[in-house]
């Protein structure tokens, strides 16, 4: 395998770096205390993403007929790496370009494409993802929010939890269940995806105070909310196929190891400045953390390469997701061991990284579930004996 970048790819990366350097506020590094999911970053994305769109850098890999440039998948990925190295200034909108837009393109109606794609590709749309519920997280298929069919649409009732961006979102990519009926669909087949206007009467959003930053996660309550039938994505019974497709895109779209790598470089710079770098134990531990970042990078590259070559599904998206979480945690462990004062006031950005590293293995689905997938689906290891 050739790991080098082509001259076009190098130029593209440099172009993104130059744009970031010219655009982000001078104190952006310190502003990394606000995570990508924070209110601050969501608001910032409203000015930053239209600028990216104007420069042709928001959705380059989207098909030209949907406003993209038919660019290779690597181009979008390089963009993602540079965004993550800069603490993801796209905020909530990374999700729109990576998986909500592509899911709409594959499964949406002409009317949905016309309504939802322009605001995404112009950098104006904020979406939230209404999947998790108090008793349905890893076991997503157990979700209980109901979508009762009525004339012209559905009436939705229930509660979602841990919903990022809900306080600012215009639209929710909402999963709900058509109530059981005799001979009706059941289990996963009863789930529908409703593209729900967050200003609909009956929706209440409540912020959850959280370790990872202000405005990051929410509870969302639905009390008899009407959603028109034309807002259903795909057919009834097709939701699971759509979710699987969408989440595959989400999990390979995040180059979080770049932010961890930057935090590691920052920590090493501080240790050097304080005359503590000569200690071989410090160097060995830094090398381990670096190795985890680079292993994550290579494994993610493998996934992107498979996508670029349209190869069949394999275990590597799960392996890569696990590796990215290990990189976050490895850097966090190193910084916590050798620069513990960063967590009690000396470096607020280190504290923010520490808090996000704790959440990293849970957000976007618990990382342990990836180990189950690798074991059961790909290694075909036996599961728990049925009792
Ligand atoms: C920062 C953050 C942002 C989030 N944003 C969103 C969002 O925007 N939208 C949304 O819908 N959700 C969101 N979530 C929720 C997230 O998707 C869930 O927290 C995640 O799916 C885990 O579900 P749970 O919290 O119910 O934990 P559980 O599923 O109860 O899991 C708890 C623990 O048990 C382990 N576990 C559970 N089942 C198994 C199993 N079968 N085998 C092995 N281990 C298992 C898990 O690995 C985990 O460690 C977010 C979460 C966080 C932390």
């Amino acid at each position: 395998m050739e790991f080098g970048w082509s001259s076009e790819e190098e130029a593209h990366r440099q172009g993104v770096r130059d744009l970031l350097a010219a655009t982000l506020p001078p104190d952006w590094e310190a502003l990394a205390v606000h995570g990508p999911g924070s209110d601050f970053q969501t608001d910032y994305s409203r000015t930053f993403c239209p600028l990216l769109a104007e420069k042709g850098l928001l959705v380059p890999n989207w098909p030209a007929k949907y406003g993209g440039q038919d660019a290779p998948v690597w181009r979008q990925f390089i963009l993602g790496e540079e965004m993550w190295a800069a603490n993801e200034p796209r905020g909530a909108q990374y999700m729109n370009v990576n998986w909500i837009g592509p899911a709409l393109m594959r499964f949406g109606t002409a009317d949905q494409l016309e309504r939802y794609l322009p605001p995404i590709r112009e950098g104006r749309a904020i979406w939230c993802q209404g999947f998790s519920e108090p008793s349905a997280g890893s076991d997503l298929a157990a979700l209980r929010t109901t979508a009762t069919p009525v004339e012209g649409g559905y009436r939705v009732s229930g509660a979602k939890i841990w919903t990022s961006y809900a306080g600012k979102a215009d639209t929710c990519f909402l999963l709900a269940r058509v109530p059981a009926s005799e001979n009706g669909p059941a289990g996963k087949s009863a789930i529908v995806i409703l593209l729900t206007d967050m200003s609909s009467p009956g929706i209440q959003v409540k912020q959850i105070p959280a370790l990872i930053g202000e405005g990051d996660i929410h509870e969302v309550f639905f009390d008899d909310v009407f959603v028109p039938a034309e807002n259903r994505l795909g057919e009834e019974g097709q939701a699971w196929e759509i979710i699987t497709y969408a989440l595959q895109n989400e999990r390979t779209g995040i180059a979080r190891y770049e932010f961890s790598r930057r935090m590691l470089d920052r920590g090493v710079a501080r240790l050097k400045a304080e005359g503590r770098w000569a200690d071989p134990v410090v160097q060995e531990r830094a090398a381990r953390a670096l190795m985890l970042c680079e292993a994550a990078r290579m494994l993610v590259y493998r996934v992107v390469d498979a996508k670029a070559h349209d190869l069949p599904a394999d275990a590597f998206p799960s392996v890569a997701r696990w590796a990215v979480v290990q990189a976050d945690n490895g850097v966090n462990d190193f910084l916590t061991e050798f620069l513990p004062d960063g967590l009690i006031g000396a470096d607020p950005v280190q504290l923010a990284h520490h808090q996000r590293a704790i959440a990293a293995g849970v957000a976007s689905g618990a990382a342990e579930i990836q180990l189950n997938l690798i074991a059961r689906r790909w290694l075909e290891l036996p599961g728990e004996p049925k009792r």
Side-chain angles (χ1 to χ4, degrees), residues 134-359:
S135 48
S138 300
D139 186 9
L140 185 57
L143 65 90
R144 291 189 194 160
T145 294
T146 52
T148 307
V150 292
E151 195 178 336
Y154 298 86
R155 290 254 162 215
V156 177
S157 290
K160 296 287 167 179
I161 195 165
W162 317 126
T163 321
S164 305
Y165 322 118
K168 304 255 175 188
D170 326 301
T171 318
C172 181
F173 195 99
L174 175 72
L175 303 190
R177 166 180 301 289
V178 174
S181 63
E182 213 180 318
N183 301 326
K188 289 176 185 168
S189 309
I191 297 174
V192 287
I193 299 172
L194 299 176
L195 310 174
T196 303
D197 182 340
M198 287 296 282
S199 64
S200 310
I203 297 182
Q204 197 197 345
V205 178
K206 215 169 128 194
Q207 225 179 78
I208 302 174
L211 190 66
I212 45 172
E214 77 293 349
D216 198 290
I217 43 180
H218 309 79
E219 285 174 285
V220 186
F221 300 97
F222 297 84
D223 181 12
D224 204 29
V225 175
F226 178 72
V227 182
E230 64 261 29
N231 287 25
R232 190 189 65 228
L233 183 62
E235 300 301 322
E236 278 189 12
Q238 205 187 2
W240 207 254
E241 178 194 345
I242 301 176
I243 299 162
T244 308
Y245 171 78
L247 292 184
Q248 261 168 15
N249 281 325
E250 183 186 29
R251 285 175 188 155
T252 53
I254 303 182
R256 292 180 59 98
Y257 53 83
E258 279 291 350
F259 188 62
S260 292
R261 173 64 205 270
R262 201 186 73 174
M263 291 304 301
L264 178 62
D265 290 348
R266 251 171 130 254
V268 169
R270 204 182 136 201
L271 288 163
K272 284 181 178 166
E274 292 174 6
R276 297 166 58 199
W277 180 243
D279 182 343
V281 174
V282 175
Q283 291 194 14
E284 189 262 349
R285 299 294 266 281
R288 276 171 189 260
L290 175 62
M291 191 183 70
L292 288 169
C293 293
E294 291 307 299
R297 178 196 305 281
M298 287 304 131
L299 287 161
V300 171
Y301 282 8
R302 182 171 172 143
V303 177
V304 179
D305 189 57
K307 197 170 169 187
H309 289 97
D310 215 7
L311 299 180
D314 62 16
F316 278 91
S318 295
V319 178
R321 157 104 173 106
W322 179 257
V324 169
V325 172
Q326 301 314 302
D328 257 332
N329 287 324
V331 171
N332 179 38
D333 289 349
F334 172 76
L335 296 175
T336 302
E337 184 170 359
F338 295 105
L339 294 165
D341 63 340
L343 305 185
I344 50 167
D347 185 354
V349 176
Q350 182 189 330
L351 175 62
H353 174 263
H354 172 78
Q355 291 166 331
R356 281 187 248 153
I358 293 171

Side-chain angles (χ1 to χ4, degrees), residues 90-164:
R90 292 176 300 179
Q93 300 195 39
Y94 85 89
M95 190 163 89
N96 307 352
V97 299
N98 284 339
W99 69 265
I100 292 180
L104 292 168
M105 287 172 215
R106 180 169 291 204
F107 300 100
T109 61
D111 172 58
Q112 289 168 350
L113 298 179
E114 202 176 309
R115 203 163 6 136
Y116 296 116
L117 292 187
I120 293 181
R121 68 171 178 252
E122 289 160 15
R124 295 187 280 116
I126 309 286
W127 285 67
C128 64
Q129 172 187 343
F131 288 15
S132 305
E133 297 185 3
S135 48
S138 300
D139 186 9
L140 185 57
L143 65 90
R144 291 189 194 160
T145 294
T146 52
T148 307
V150 292
E151 195 178 336
Y154 298 86
R155 290 254 162 215
V156 177
S157 290
K160 296 287 167 179
I161 195 165
W162 317 126
T163 321
S164 305

